[in-house]
Amino acid sequence: MSSRTNLTREDWIHAAQEVLVTSGVDAVRVDTLAKELKITRGSFYYHFKSRGELLEGILGNWRARATEDVILHLRNAHSSPLQQLHRLLELPSHGQTAKDAASIELGIRGWARRDKQARQAIDEVDSHRLSYIEGLLIQAGVPSGDAQDRAYLIYAYQISLSLLHSEDTPQQRLERSQRMAGILIPESCTLPA
């Protein structure tokens, strides 16, 4: 990639996310990324005004892919709220894609411990995800107060999976998510036939 027209804004963001995951936010530097991408710094400035704008791009890309796209995909599947909950619980068992998503999530959460902008993005995403899960539970017939607590448990379970290293096979992870659905989703909610 020797021309700035060949390298997209998304290429820079993806490369920055990889550095974030492996080395932390302090290592996300224009020079480092340019060297990694084998291109001049000029390409960076064609797409971004500053490193800060790149960092905003990382957060925006993560928010879109890890939250908005997931919710949109689940909603567009034309499935019941309960089926959406089950599919949501199965997401962490989706192999390398799930591992990559969890790595980015952990990198951003680590960054958010000391950066106000990243903390705000995490807070917004957490709130949006919790509201979505709570809404699905309410639609499935769970009383509002109980739905809020169960949404928190479901979300906490999913976040915890990104912290745990497991040698389980994809099938074992899927079976665990199905067992957890039995624990986290009340029996009064049933899947439609």
Side-chain angles (χ1 to χ4, degrees):
M1 291 185 196
S2 58
S3 164
R4 68 181 180 184
T5 58
N6 290 340
L7 200 62
T8 67
R9 180 179 172 89
E10 290 70 31
D11 291 331
W12 281 100
I13 290 171
H14 180 72
Q17 284 177 327
E18 287 181 14
V19 170
L20 174 70
V21 166
T22 59
S23 305
V25 71
D26 291 338
V28 178
R29 297 278 177 214
V30 178
D31 289 337
T32 305
L33 294 171
K35 184 183 267 187
E36 180 78 25
L37 294 167
K38 298 179 174 88
I39 197 159
T40 66
R41 290 173 39 151
S43 171
F44 173 84
Y45 291 106
Y46 178 78
H47 296 291
F48 300 95
K49 293 178 185 166
S50 65
R51 177 180 180 264
E53 190 177 322
L54 172 65
L55 295 178
E56 288 174 20
I58 292 171
L59 294 172
N61 180 275
W62 166 71
R63 181 183 293 118
R65 291 180 185 264
T67 302
E68 300 300 334
D69 289 355
V70 170
I71 290 172
L72 185 63
H73 176 75
L74 290 169
R75 284 184 176 151
N76 286 343
H78 303 293
S79 53
S80 73
L82 192 55
Q83 289 167 324
Q84 290 179 57
L85 282 168
H86 280 268
R87 287 191 180 115
L88 192 63
L89 283 166
E90 291 172 0
L91 286 177
S93 65
H94 287 181
Q96 192 59 47
T97 301
K99 286 181 184 179
D100 292 345
S103 295
I104 293 170
E105 181 101 13
L106 285 175
I108 290 174
R109 287 184 181 279
W111 169 20
R113 288 184 175 172
R114 57 189 181 93
D115 180 87
K116 193 165 101 173
Q117 179 185 18
R119 176 81 256 159
Q120 182 180 350
I122 288 284
D123 291 345
E124 289 170 3
V125 164
D126 286 346
S127 178
H128 187 58
R129 290 173 178 174
L130 283 163
S131 292
Y132 172 68
I133 297 167
E134 182 181 351
L136 290 175
L137 287 163
I138 290 170
Q139 291 173 48
V142 177
S144 181
D146 191 28
Q148 188 175 31
D149 292 341
R150 286 183 185 275
Y152 192 84
L153 281 171
I154 289 168
Y155 189 53
Y157 166 70
Q158 286 196 292
I159 294 295
S160 71
L161 291 177
S162 62
L163 300 172
L164 299 172
H165 177 73
S166 171
E167 296 297 327
D168 292 347
T169 67
Q171 183 61 35
Q172 289 169 320
R173 287 191 299 271
L174 180 61
E175 289 168 0
R176 179 179 298 111
S177 76
Q178 291 167 345
R179 289 190 306 273
M180 290 304 293
I183 294 168
L184 297 169
I185 301 171
E187 290 181 23
S188 60
C189 298
T190 58
L191 283 169

